[in-house]
Amino acid sequence: MKEAEARGVRLPADMLEAAKTSGLRKMFLLRYLELQGSIWPLGFLMKNCSMLRDRMLADPSFLFKVGTEVVIDSCCATFAEYQKRGKEFWSEFELYLADLLVGIVVDIAMVGMMAPYARFGQPSATRGLFGRMNRACAALPSSVFEAERPGCRFSLNQRVATYFYKGVSYGAVGFGCGLIGQGIANVIMTAKRSITKSEDDIPVPPLVQSAALWGVFLGVSSNTRYQIITGLEHLVEASPLAKRIPPVAMAFTVGIRFANNIYAGMQFVDWAKQSGVQ
């Protein structure tokens, strides 16, 4: 409280409660005091968005990873889809646009769901089956290879369970985003055909099947790839070289996510064509 008052900062209710009960890590406190004074909108979000705050406290490079993922994925998806679709790229432009828009939302969700985060307060005391499931899920690591730290210890069973839990979570996000993205694309395609028709027009893709494809792709392929990427990034960040020269870790993040997105973009088009959705 003295440290916060000295800087004229009021701690969020959950951090203050944690400080009074279970304790508050000094590293988290100092990071919050520093980040909440950042320029807008980061400072505002640190004070008012606990999801971003908790991830920034556990990993200050979180926003860099999100930005890297979005920029690289957008560029790589465009390149990969153009290569895969070839001469049909412009006639299938609506499909590409749907993939791109959904991909941006999915990028943010995937990086955020897999990122480590600061944990404050005690687990929910709700009784019954739902309460037990909620506590079990809250105790899981954010990714299979999340590093242990004071107050966070994970068993082998928890790490294995995390893979399947994140697979279900990724699948749900993929299905929901697929419904929205493909739904928008289908509306655009239908409206376009009502005005002008062409022999090059392709059939409007089935909405539910397209969303299901997104769900399966994220739950299986993306989940596996991003678990590995997160683990490798942690190894590099924890290395003596990266601690002496921080840009090394940043360069590794850019490189591995670039390679991953090239592969993922081409793989998704293959899955879509093989499944008959596109």
Side-chain angles (χ1 to χ4, degrees), residues 69-130:
E69 188 69 31
V70 170
V71 172
I72 290 179
D73 186 35
S74 299
C75 296
C76 290
T78 301
F79 174 79
E81 295 224 12
Y82 184 79
Q83 291 292 327
K84 282 289 182 179
R85 299 187 190 279
K87 296 180 180 179
E88 298 178 348
F89 178 80
W90 291 110
S91 63
E92 299 180 359
F93 185 77
E94 295 93 341
L95 300 178
Y96 152 74
L97 186 61
D99 291 347
L100 182 66
L101 294 176
V102 174
I104 291 175
V105 176
V106 167
D107 288 338
I108 297 173
M110 286 194 300
V111 178
M113 292 169 63
M114 202 74 73
Y117 60 92
R119 304 170 189 236
F120 300 114
Q122 299 297 324
S124 172
T126 305
R127 297 181 179 181
L129 178 61
F130 180 78

Side-chain angles (χ1 to χ4, degrees), residues 157-230:
N157 289 340
Q158 285 179 310
R159 294 185 183 279
V160 172
T162 294
Y163 176 80
F164 294 100
Y165 175 69
K166 293 296 181 180
V168 173
S169 300
Y170 269 31
V173 170
F175 183 78
C177 291
L179 280 177
I180 297 173
Q182 193 61 57
I184 294 173
N186 287 2
V187 170
I188 294 175
M189 294 173 72
T190 303
K192 181 180 177 181
R193 283 156 177 71
S194 66
I195 299 174
T196 57
K197 293 184 178 181
S198 171
E199 294 181 354
D200 295 330
D201 288 342
I202 59 173
V204 176
L207 179 60
V208 176
Q209 290 90 324
S210 297
L213 173 65
W214 272 100
V216 173
F217 184 76
L218 262 68
V220 178
S221 176
S222 298
N223 178 39
T224 302
R225 288 183 285 104
Y226 281 90
Q227 295 283 1
I228 296 172
I229 288 172
T230 302

